[in-house]
Amino acid sequence: MKNLLALTLSLIAVAPLAAQAPAPKDGPTPAGWKYVEDRSTSASDPDGPGSIKITSAGSGYHILTPTAAVFWNPANTATGNYTLKARVTINERSGHVNFYGLVFGGKDLGTPTQSYNYFLVAQDNPPGAQFGAPQPLGSFLIKKMSGTTATPVFQLPGASGRSGTVAHAVIKVPDANGKATNDLEVRVQATKVDFVINGTIVHTAPREGLVTDGIWGIRSNHLLNINVDGLSVTKQ
């Protein structure tokens, strides 16, 4: 009887632990996906150790980029009028400002003649912010990559210096746990393209002169740990 009572009590004691669902684990590399790295050439801003990874995570992807990289599936192309969107979460603070977000209008990715446009956001979160200093605004940029050379697609109002970044209050910056989630959209229309963050149009540009047909995917700069959900294209 005593042994039965002890066994019953032990089962009651462990029941709450058994009821806790385990943290979701990353799945395999998603079928068909490729990546091309973009190594740092700056001695003062080197890449981190480890390997670039993209794995399935729920209905989306978990991406680790010690080295900057672009991720895509050759089957994912868009033409005409469409909306490309994704919810992107930075899981922990990077040591300095690093950008992540959407790629569109891609061609020959992973080759010397590659080209693509990208629409990215960044944390803009220096170490002082976590110790009570005022939190800077997040920022975004829109650029084109030709081969290994990045250039502004157009002049953004309020862009800072050579980097071409624009601060904006609508961008969510890392919380006390280092996480931030932002919804990004590129809305390609008949005569214009809207760039949207968290439901707010942050820039509108003429479609003429901007290559929008092509492969779409994700870019993540170095030293980042992000999740991407809802990555999709909807025809307009």
Side-chain angles (χ1 to χ4, degrees):
M1 185 68 179
K2 289 182 179 180
N3 290 338
L4 178 60
L5 178 61
L7 176 60
T8 301
L9 290 174
S10 67
L11 289 174
I12 293 173
V14 300
L17 294 177
Q20 294 177 358
K25 294 182 179 180
D26 289 355
T29 299
W33 278 77
K34 303 175 181 292
Y35 72 83
V36 58
E37 63 182 7
D38 184 5
R39 288 190 172 276
S40 172
T41 58
S42 171
S44 61
D45 186 18
D47 293 327
S51 301
I52 295 169
K53 293 181 180 179
I54 177 171
T55 52
S56 299
S59 60
Y61 310 101
H62 182 208
I63 290 173
L64 296 173
T65 48
T67 302
V70 169
F71 302 85
W72 79 97
N73 185 326
N76 293 340
T77 62
T79 59
N81 299 346
Y82 63 87
T83 295
L84 168 64
K85 64 180 180 179
R87 172 165 291 181
V88 188
T89 299
I90 183 171
N91 293 310
E92 56 189 7
R93 287 185 178 89
S94 183
H96 58 284
V97 177
N98 279 304
F99 286 83
Y100 49 93
L102 299 173
V103 165
F104 66 101
K107 181 182 178 181
D108 298 334
L109 297 185
T111 75
T113 60
Q114 70 175 358
S115 62
Y116 59 87
N117 306 300
Y118 54 86
F119 173 42
L120 314 179
V121 294
Q123 59 182 13
D124 277 72
N125 192 12
Q130 60 186 297
F131 299 110
Q135 173 64 64
L137 299 177
S139 61
F140 72 92
L141 57 76
I142 305 166
K143 287 189 174 182
K144 176 182 179 179
M145 184 72 75
S146 298
T148 58
T149 301
T151 56
V153 179
F154 27 67
Q155 182 62 39
L156 294 172
S160 61
R162 188 171 60 87
S163 66
T165 63
V166 180
H168 204 294
V170 75
I171 300 168
K172 296 178 182 178
V173 295
D175 59 18
N177 297 315
K179 297 187 71 171
T181 298
N182 288 282
D183 292 329
L184 306 182
E185 295 180 52
V186 178
R187 300 173 183 170
V188 179
Q189 300 161 71
T191 60
K192 67 174 184 174
V193 180
D194 289 334
F195 297 89
V196 184
I197 302 173
N198 298 324
T200 297
I201 297 173
V202 296
H203 186 69
T204 297
R207 181 171 174 177
E208 185 178 0
L210 180 64
V211 177
T212 55
D213 289 357
I215 296 171
W216 49 269
I218 291 290
R219 180 179 170 93
S220 178
N221 282 7
H222 70 176
L223 309 177
L224 285 177
N225 174 354
I226 66 172
N227 274 75
V228 180
D229 295 288
L231 178 63
S232 62
V233 160
T234 304
K235 293 290 289 184
Q236 295 184 1

